Amino acid sequence: MSPLHARLRQLRTQAGHPQLTSPLATARAGCGVATAKDHTLANTSLSPEVRRLLQRHAHLKRGPAYLASTDRDVPGIELSPGLRYTETCVDWLKPPVIIDAGFARVKPVHHQRLLHFDTETTGLAGGTGTRAFMIGAADWVDGRFRIRQLTITSMAAEAAMLRTFAAWVGDDSVLVSYNGKCYDAPLLATRYRLARLANPLLGLAHIDLLHPVRRHWKGQWENCRLATAERQLLGVVREDDLPGSEAPAAWLTYLRGGAAKNLRRVAAHNAQDLKSLAGVLLRMAGMV
Amino acid sequence: MNALPDRYDTADELVLRAPSDGRTLAQRLSKRYAARITGAFVVPGRKGSFAPLPEDLPPALATALRSRGIEQLYSHQAQAWAASQAGEHVAVVTPTASGKSLCYTLPVITAAMANRAKALYLFPTKALAQDQVAELLELNNAGELGVKAFTFDGDTPGDARQAIRLHGDIVVSNPDMLHQAILPHHTKWAQFFENLRYVVIDEVHTYRGVFGSHVANVIRRLKRVCAFYGVTPQFILCSATIGNPHEHAEALIEDAVTAITESGAPTGDQHVLLWNPPVVNPDLGLRASARSQTNRIARLAIKSGMKTLVFAQSRSMVEVLTKYLKDVFDHDPRKPPRIRAYRGGYLPKERRAAERAMRAGSIDGIVSTSALELGVDIGSLDVVVLNGYPGSVAATWQRFGRAGRRQQSALGVLVASSHPLDQYLVRHPEFFQGATPEHARIQPDQPLILLDHIRCAAFELPFNGDEMFGTEVATPWLEVLGEEGVLHREGERWEWIADSYPAIAVSLRSVADGNFVVVDRTDGRQTIIAEVDYSAAAVTLYEGAIHMIQSTPYQVERLDWEGRKAYVTRTQVDYYTDAIDYTRLKVLDCFDSSHAGAGEAHHGEVHVVRHVPGYKKIRFYSHENIGYGPVNLPDQELHTTAVWWQLPQAVLDAVFEQRQQALDGFLGAANALHLVATVAVMAEARDLQKSVGSGDGAWFVSADRQGRGQLRGTDGQPAALAADAPFTPTVYLYDAFPGGIGHSEPLFQRREDLIAQSVSLIERCDCRAGCPACVGPVLAADEHAAEARSADPQNEAAEAGTPKVLALRVLALLVAL
């Protein structure tokens, strides 16, 4: 623990703040990385001289230690440093050429214009501090369902991911998502803005399936989540599915040098979400 | 012996025959009540200083101004225009009702008209924000200027927010919204920020202490976000009169500011009377109530045909005073009311109606809380009566400034309550005359506050390399946040990684989020009625405590320490409670020292351990101690900064026959110093604490049941000092926040002044042996001794030992040679 940290921890406790938990510091102490020397400075005063001393001291320190894991395998090819790309084509449902999207109050649309997308993010807090670490997008190519996924393994690769995804979006693309109007699209808009890139989703038609699903089945199903919709409408039952709420931790663990296992499960979850988007869309279009 | 309220008829002799001015009323009052008036002075009026409407003003705006009756500007408005057009940050420091808002309205509207430049206004309260938007809309409509102004606060509905972000030319908000809603979502405001030209911050004198330190950091974050969008907005700040407006404005925005301090608005003479209610019990220092005096003065003024505003300290006092005045003036229900109340808690519509009635002149008397202190426009007034000292000299002037718009002489009367601070100030008219109101202090680099805002800033935009945050390199703080797991470092970049929204957890009104909430369980409902800082909880929220909110007593029934909740019910009692506070201090580091008379004064860091073993029940007004209760709470620890005074053992041994006397003297001196220091740094009394102990933390002194200094060891048990043990009693004033909030350094700078003022406070106190207004609670034994002395002038021994005398003896030793 750095002296400044110890100092602040002490002050915060005195101010009635609950004890700080520092998973990294604890882990490091367990690994014997923490140095006893750190504590000798912990009770020094806040005079400017000491503050400067602390800063110099902190300057020389190395970054945090990682809980190293040997399982570091993230699937796909590396498009650029820190940006992994996977592409799979599946023989999935057979889409009609022109899809009647009237159920979502959208004009009939050629199936090749559809771009299904879903992001995996570092949390649900919203605002400028939440980011997508994975963007999945799927479309119909020659009658087959193409699933493409971008995953970043470093923060710095975010801009490259955003650029790559932007290239997949056409001027006449029709977006398909589940709660994307309120969640994924605004979040990506924020990320494009922070990366100083143009937002490719701006102004596109967008079929957000959550709303028509709610209109039809609210009150009949226990909830209107995508997992419920896919089970009710498509009979999909997921096995070994990583709950969406665990996605942030999966990525963070990998980012800090931990195992990639759960990150791979996030990708599988994301791919299934994309398939279910297409399935629910076709199912609802066919009902009209 | 009772000099209780005079009867109506004698008072009515003073009613002026013809409607008159403040001067005549001041003279009559001074003559009739000479004994109650402790200070009378006149702030001479000023002729207006005008300037033509600037030629570079857009013609449509000039036309709009003319159609609203504004043919020319006051000189300060013209100066503000010139400075803003020169690209400078501006601070406008002029009295209430001097037309401050035009100082920022003109450049803002001009920029909005010329190139759709945006402006952000920050006001400390929602009501002021709404007033400001109403004013802007009127001006806009008068000239069809096409400028859109909106309030953006917690009440703004979700569907309106998007439109405001995109289309608002002027967004009027408050610091809390900027902190929690705008900055953490700045990308949604991208268009607004890209075109942001002006940031207007009004009432900056309210941004001081903890709140001000937070706001300074919010401004740092605002500038950081602005830099991301490639803009450097100009700041226009407005302040009421404080001691250091220029310095304070620069401290808030951390940039050079052009200060405009000469008001060009004309004013009449302002007569001021300081009024102390008559003593009704000289032994206890007990005086008639401020309420009765305020009522009398207001009645006289209204009967003399003068528009009168009464400020009361609490909502219930507003209602009481309103009732008294209505009983006299509104007894005929067929006539429109002449008296109105105005306070928070009324619906906006009611308040607007009261404002309109005041402006129209149909109301003769209005009774208000501080709600009217800030810029709300209510038209011309002749007399302002303050029922009790508002807590600062600056606020006193701001309230007095409500009277005297008609360029004729106005009258302001401050009626002192029995509160020690009131009693101190009313006896020091020079405090008001000296025209050096309090300094506003902020400490933006207070470690916990700084850490909270670096946390919020990292959420808003990643930190890069050796980026500065304010005046500090952010790196060590980022490392702390990295260890905490909320930031991730990649190369030279620190990115937010946690799934949380840090601004929600940071309140701009407290140092950390360990606050206690006070839950009212009266009538079976659970309502949160107040929040108390963690550091104050142990001395104000123990079970059995009487907790005063808006002067209504609540009793604490249960304290949930872990859950940070205190459950209270409304109660009717004639006493208040005072925690018995065993505080030990140990000096950790001395930053600075100097001679103080025969002793020394120091400033440095201290370790405080506070133990609250119980509390005293003290009767209102008489301050008698009527009982005790136990308290069972964990000890509080605090690392903070302090200023302290010490006298060497040899000096004390030479001056005091017994060590007990020296201890009593130090306790009394501590009480007086604390009172004086609270005023000097514009602090809340609970933000600054006092203690007497040894220099090394080996023992401390608390008042025992007789009010005598009792020496206690580190275990809190009474102890006696061996005759040969070192004896260096020390009086400490310390900052009550972990890490300090910057009170102690200015106190050290003013150390000589503080000692001198404490001496004069005690010397001028009307009590005989000591009272809460000078050296501390009433001591029955000493009262008797003092009485014996006055009965028998030869009995010198009796008076020699009073706490007053002992405290003065200690202070005399510390007076600079």
Side-chain angles (χ1 to χ4, degrees):
Chain A
M1 205 188 307
S2 74
L4 182 62
H5 194 184
R7 166 88 200 163
L8 286 165
R9 175 187 286 234
Q10 184 184 41
L11 291 180
R12 279 155 62 106
T13 309
Q14 291 170 5
H17 193 280
Q19 276 293 333
L20 279 183
T21 47
S22 171
L24 290 179
T26 328
R28 217 187 323 162
C31 302
V33 183
T35 59
K37 205 173 70 181
D38 285 352
H39 296 280
T40 55
L41 270 172
N43 275 322
T44 48
S45 78
L46 273 180
S47 71
E49 294 78 7
V50 177
R51 183 78 62 82
R52 275 198 293 277
L53 186 85
L54 289 186
Q55 283 166 353
R56 271 202 302 277
H57 171 82
H59 217 78
L60 297 172
K61 267 181 40 159
R62 305 242 64 86
Y66 298 108
L67 283 171
S69 166
T70 49
D71 173 13
R72 300 284 293 163
D73 183 23
V74 182
I77 57 165
E78 189 157 78
L79 290 185
S80 60
L83 178 61
R84 313 288 296 192
Y85 169 73
T86 60
E87 179 179 329
T88 45
C89 283
V90 288
D91 290 310
W92 177 237
L93 307 165
K94 204 76 200 150
V97 175
I98 302 292
I99 294 174
D100 180 358
F103 70 91
R105 294 162 193 167
V106 170
K107 282 186 217 134
V109 54
H110 194 283
H111 68 275
Q112 287 183 350
R113 285 173 60 199
L114 296 177
L115 185 70
H116 312 76
F117 81 109
D118 184 35
T119 62
E120 302 301 329
T121 66
T122 55
L124 297 173
T128 45
T130 307
R131 74 190 67 227
F133 62 84
M134 183 182 292
I135 304 177
D139 50 5
W140 297 103
V141 180
D142 302 330
R144 301 185 77 201
F145 194 59
R146 177 174 68 168
I147 297 173
R148 293 181 287 180
Q149 289 175 307
L150 296 165
T151 307
I152 52 174
T153 56
S154 79
M155 299 268 190
E158 187 188 15
M161 174 174 74
L162 294 173
R163 273 193 215 96
T164 308
F165 176 64
W168 298 351
V169 182
D171 293 343
D172 64 345
S173 290
V174 173
L175 303 173
V176 183
S177 72
Y178 209 81
N179 197 26
K181 275 188 183 170
C182 287
Y183 188 72
D184 305 68
L187 186 138
L188 287 173
T190 286
R191 302 320 301 177
Y192 278 103
R193 176 67 73 171
L194 286 170
R196 301 184 192 281
L197 296 170
N199 177 10
L201 308 185
L202 198 67
L204 294 185
H206 188 158
I207 301 172
D208 184 338
L209 294 168
L210 172 65
H211 305 291
V213 164
R214 271 209 189 126
R215 276 199 298 274
H216 269 88
W217 291 290
K218 191 175 179 186
Q220 298 176 43
W221 299 346
E222 72 266 38
N223 60 47
C224 287
R225 294 218 290 259
L226 181 58
T228 308
E230 67 185 11
R231 192 176 69 244
Q232 296 280 358
L233 299 178
L234 312 170
V236 170
V237 178
R238 299 191 188 208
E239 280 171 26
D240 189 34
D241 185 54
L242 186 80
S245 59
E246 288 176 33
W251 187 65
L252 205 50
T253 302
Y254 178 81
L255 191 69
R256 289 178 174 155
K261 176 164 180 268
N262 278 349
L263 189 54
R264 293 192 296 272
R265 292 173 67 201
V266 172
H269 171 94
N270 180 262
Q272 179 58 53
D273 278 358
L274 291 169
K275 282 165 74 177
S276 293
L277 277 181
V280 171
L281 172 75
L282 293 183
R283 182 64 203 274
M284 292 194 77
M287 289 188 344
V288 182
Chain B
M1 64 169 265
N2 264 358
L4 279 173
D6 322 65
R7 300 211 322 277
Y8 281 56
D9 51 1
T10 55
D12 287 351
E13 287 167 17
L14 291 172
V15 173
L16 305 175
R17 298 271 176 266
S20 191
D21 60 0
R23 179 168 155 267
T24 319
L25 186 58
Q27 282 174 341
R28 298 241 179 146
L29 286 170
S30 307
K31 216 164 152 188
R32 172 69 176 80
Y33 296 109
R36 301 179 193 181
I37 289 167
T38 59
F41 44 92
V42 186
V43 182
R46 231 186 356 251
K47 284 217 175 86
S49 163
F50 301 92
L53 291 181
E55 286 177 8
D56 42 353
L57 216 55
L61 177 54
T63 308
L65 289 172
R66 289 201 182 92
S67 78
R68 308 255 304 137
I70 300 167
E71 301 282 346
Q72 54 183 351
L73 296 183
Y74 296 135
S75 56
H76 63 277
Q77 294 167 335
Q79 284 170 30
W81 169 262
S84 67
Q85 297 311 296
E88 294 159 12
H89 301 305
V90 185
V92 182
V93 190
T94 55
T96 324
S98 56
K100 255 186 290 214
S101 58
L102 265 196
C103 293
Y104 46 78
T105 302
L106 297 184
V108 164
I109 290 195
T110 301
M113 290 173 64
N115 34 25
R116 294 243 76 86
K118 311 266 186 176
L120 174 67
Y121 283 22
L122 299 176
F123 286 89
T125 68
K126 284 186 204 169
L128 283 173
Q130 276 151 9
D131 284 354
Q132 187 54 228
V133 167
E135 198 180 316
L136 283 166
L137 290 180
E138 281 175 26
L139 185 62
N140 182 55
N141 293 342
E144 294 176 14
L145 306 177
V147 173
K148 298 191 195 74
F150 300 100
T151 52
F152 186 82
D153 57 34
D155 300 339
T156 308
D159 47 358
R161 295 188 173 202
Q162 172 75 356
I164 293 171
R165 288 184 201 119
L166 294 178
H167 306 302
D169 297 308
I170 304 174
V171 173
V172 184
S173 191
N174 55 61
D176 307 81
M177 281 301 279
L178 179 60
H179 156 61
Q180 292 194 327
I182 299 178
L183 291 175
H185 281 287
H186 64 82
T187 52
K188 291 185 180 161
W189 293 81
Q191 241 180 324
F192 181 78
F193 280 116
E194 280 167 350
N195 296 293
L196 183 62
R197 170 80 184 277
Y198 288 107
V199 177
V200 172
I201 312 180
D202 205 346
E203 317 284 359
V204 293
H205 59 281
T206 60
Y207 303 134
R208 57 176 195 268
V210 173
F211 187 34
S213 306
H214 275 291
V215 170
N217 277 293
V218 173
I219 293 170
R220 289 171 171 177
R221 284 160 53 200
L222 171 66
K223 287 181 168 178
R224 201 165 164 263
V225 164
C226 284
F228 176 79
Y229 292 101
V231 294
T232 40
Q234 244 173 288
F235 284 83
I236 303 179
L237 305 104
C238 295
S239 173
T241 308
I242 50 173
N244 59 342
H246 192 180
E247 180 199 358
H248 182 57
E250 296 196 330
L252 268 178
I253 70 163
E254 295 180 300
D255 207 342
V257 168
T258 302
I260 295 166
T261 53
E262 284 297 311
S263 168
T267 58
D269 291 347
Q270 173 118 51
H271 294 258
V272 171
L273 298 178
L274 305 184
W275 186 291
N276 207 2
V279 174
V280 294
N281 179 340
D283 290 333
L284 297 175
L286 191 58
R287 291 174 179 273
S289 74
R291 187 189 59 237
S292 65
Q293 307 290 302
T294 299
N295 182 34
R296 167 192 310 272
I297 298 163
R299 208 170 60 222
L300 270 173
I302 296 168
K303 282 192 174 171
S304 301
M306 301 169 82
K307 303 279 183 203
T308 302
L309 166 60
V310 176
F311 277 108
Q313 303 290 65
S314 69
R315 292 178 181 191
S316 55
M317 187 56 78
V318 166
E319 299 303 338
V320 170
L321 283 167
T322 305
K323 179 185 181 304
Y324 286 2
L325 291 175
K326 274 186 170 293
D327 285 348
V328 176
F329 296 104
D330 283 339
H331 45 70
D332 185 346
R334 289 163 303 180
K335 292 183 182 160
R338 296 173 67 190
I339 308 293
R340 282 196 86 135
Y342 184 104
R343 59 172 175 81
Y346 287 166
L347 295 172
K349 230 161 69 182
E350 282 176 273
R351 283 193 290 164
R352 293 297 103 78
E355 288 160 23
R356 268 198 308 278
M358 281 302 282
R359 279 198 295 267
S362 63
I363 295 292
D364 295 317
I366 193 158
V367 186
S368 171
T369 55
S370 61
L372 269 183
E373 178 187 329
L374 302 168
V376 181
D377 180 17
I378 47 160
S380 316
L381 292 167
D382 304 302
V383 178
V384 169
V385 186
L386 309 188
N387 183 58
Y389 175 62
S392 78
V393 173
T396 306
W397 280 117
Q398 205 174 7
R399 291 177 188 200
F400 282 159
R402 276 296 184 181
R405 302 183 183 206
R406 270 187 277 175
Q407 298 153 51
Q408 71 175 41
S409 65
L411 172 63
V413 186
L414 168 63
V415 181
S417 76
S418 60
H419 191 278
L421 208 54
D422 286 37
Q423 287 301 314
Y424 167 58
L425 283 154
V426 82
R427 285 171 217 168
H428 292 74
E430 71 276 9
F431 222 100
F432 292 94
Q433 271 171 302
T436 41
E438 298 86 346
H439 289 220
R441 301 276 176 194
I442 54 170
Q443 186 83 343
D445 293 334
Q446 204 280 350
L448 296 178
I449 292 176
L450 185 63
L451 182 69
D452 273 342
H453 287 279
I454 289 182
R455 181 193 303 273
C456 294
F459 179 91
E460 287 149 11
L461 288 168
F463 275 87
N464 254 321
D466 287 337
E467 191 177 328
M468 302 283 288
F469 188 77
T471 53
E472 303 245 347
V473 176
T475 316
W477 307 88
L478 300 171
E479 293 192 342
V480 168
L481 295 169
E483 286 188 46
E484 217 181 284
V486 298
L487 294 191
H488 180 75
R489 181 185 190 169
E490 213 173 81
E492 286 300 291
R493 220 168 134 91
W494 293 86
E495 307 245 15
W496 185 261
I497 197 66
D499 181 14
S500 58
Y501 189 93
I504 287 297
V506 176
S507 156
L508 299 188
R509 323 274 167 159
S510 69
V511 168
D513 57 346
N515 284 5
F516 282 70
V517 290
V518 180
V519 183
D520 178 15
R521 291 200 292 199
T522 316
D523 312 328
R525 291 190 310 143
Q526 298 222 351
T527 326
I528 294 178
I529 50 171
E531 242 184 286
V532 172
D533 264 343
Y534 178 83
S535 46
V539 286
T540 56
L541 292 181
Y542 44 85
E543 289 171 10
I546 299 297
H547 192 70
M548 304 289 286
I549 293 167
Q550 301 271 23
S551 49
T552 306
Y554 292 83
Q555 184 153 35
V556 178
E557 292 187 324
R558 196 167 77 77
L559 178 63
D560 174 3
W561 187 263
E562 293 305 319
R564 303 277 192 265
K565 284 191 192 74
Y567 296 95
V568 302
T569 49
R570 244 190 339 266
T571 179
Q572 295 283 344
V573 287
D574 64 345
Y575 66 90
Y576 61 97
T577 52
D578 189 17
I580 302 169
D581 183 356
Y582 292 171
T583 300
R584 275 182 293 133
L585 278 95
K586 199 168 119 187
V587 175
L588 298 176
D589 190 9
C590 186
F591 302 157
D592 207 349
S593 300
S594 88
H595 291 290
E600 286 193 328
H602 307 272
H603 165 231
E605 198 189 11
V606 293
H607 178 224
V608 182
V609 182
R610 179 195 257 171
H611 174 65
V612 178
Y615 63 91
K616 291 178 274 194
K617 296 178 182 175
I618 298 175
R619 203 189 294 280
F620 281 121
Y621 301 111
S622 71
H623 304 285
E624 288 168 88
N625 193 339
I626 55 172
Y628 289 87
V631 172
N632 187 14
L633 286 177
D635 284 1
Q636 309 274 300
E637 280 192 69
L638 193 65
H639 283 82
T640 184
T641 54
V643 54
W644 63 94
W645 287 266
Q646 260 175 344
L647 284 166
Q649 188 166 349
V651 172
L652 291 174
D653 286 346
V655 174
F656 292 98
E657 288 161 33
Q658 305 152 21
R659 288 184 168 178
Q660 181 63 48
Q661 291 181 326
L663 293 182
D664 291 351
F666 267 91
L667 273 186
N671 201 75
L673 275 166
H674 180 244
L675 213 52
V676 169
T678 305
V679 176
V681 292
M682 224 169 172
E684 303 279 333
R686 62 182 174 79
D687 295 350
L688 191 71
Q689 297 283 338
K690 61 175 192 291
S691 174
V692 175
S694 72
D696 55 3
W699 48 266
F700 65 97
V701 185
S702 66
D704 67 9
R705 293 190 180 203
Q706 278 73 47
R708 286 300 192 181
Q710 171 64 59
L711 200 123
R712 290 171 192 274
T714 50
D715 54 359
Q717 292 308 309
L721 212 54
D724 56 347
F727 182 68
T728 50
T730 307
V731 49
Y732 299 91
L733 297 176
Y734 65 92
D735 225 321
F737 293 103
I741 192 68
H743 289 325
S744 58
E745 207 261 326
L747 287 178
F748 182 74
Q749 299 305 332
R750 298 175 69 168
R751 58 195 176 269
E752 293 177 1
D753 202 24
L754 294 178
I755 298 284
Q757 285 185 28
S758 303
V759 170
S760 104
L761 167 71
I762 298 172
E763 279 178 345
R764 286 201 223 170
C765 190
D766 292 337
C767 68
R768 287 185 181 146
C771 73
C774 60
V775 296
V778 182
L779 313 168
D782 292 310
E783 287 296 339
H784 299 317
E787 273 165 36
R789 158 78 173 145
S790 45
D792 172 12
Q794 304 307 312
N795 186 358
E796 285 184 21
E799 184 155 294
T802 67
K804 254 178 122 165
V805 170
L806 296 173
L808 281 173
R809 204 178 291 167
V810 167
L811 288 168
L813 293 171
L814 292 168
V815 171
L817 300 171

